[in-house]
Amino acid sequence: QVQLVESGGGSVQSGGSLRLSCAASGYTYSTYCMAWFRQAPGKEREGVAALETDGRPDYADSVKGRFTISQDNAKNTLSLQMNSLKPEDTAMYYCAADPTPACLWRLRVRPESGYWGQGTQVTVSS
């Protein structure tokens, strides 16, 4: 059974940093495309960053240069380092896993094709 558990959310002021983690279990972690999504109240869920099955990172334009996605295959852990946070980054952040490539796009249009965690809240105040 696939399980994804996020941690590391919290409240910070604009310009601050947070590091999110996602502990994965129940599947062969290194063969999956892994991603972070977020959803703010009243808005659609959007892709933030992903690590493709070949290890290439992919980022939404809104976070390029500020967020860094990484993984520790030995620990089956996905991380998202978020720097220079802005109030518009406020959202519930979700970890996701997809056995097929291009998951930053695929999970946006077909969320049922992947696995999702329960989310961790990030709040950035101005």
Side-chain angles (χ1 to χ4, degrees), residues 22-42:
C22 172
S25 62
Y27 64 101
T28 305
Y29 174 81
S30 60
T31 64
Y32 275 54
C33 180
M34 301 295 298
W36 288 97
F37 279 69
R38 66 186 180 188
Q39 188 167 19

Side-chain angles (χ1 to χ4, degrees), residues 11-30:
S11 296
V12 295
Q13 290 191 329
S14 181
S17 298
L18 281 174
R19 186 177 182 87
L20 305 183
S21 294
C22 172
S25 62
Y27 64 101
T28 305
Y29 174 81
S30 60

Side-chain angles (χ1 to χ4, degrees), residues 63-84:
V63 305
K64 281 181 181 177
R66 301 189 298 122
F67 290 11
T68 302
I69 190 171
S70 62
Q71 64 184 6
D72 184 336
N73 287 339
K75 297 181 180 179
N76 286 8
T77 301
L78 181 74
S79 297
L80 185 69
Q81 178 66 41
M82 304 186 295
N83 299 327
S84 302

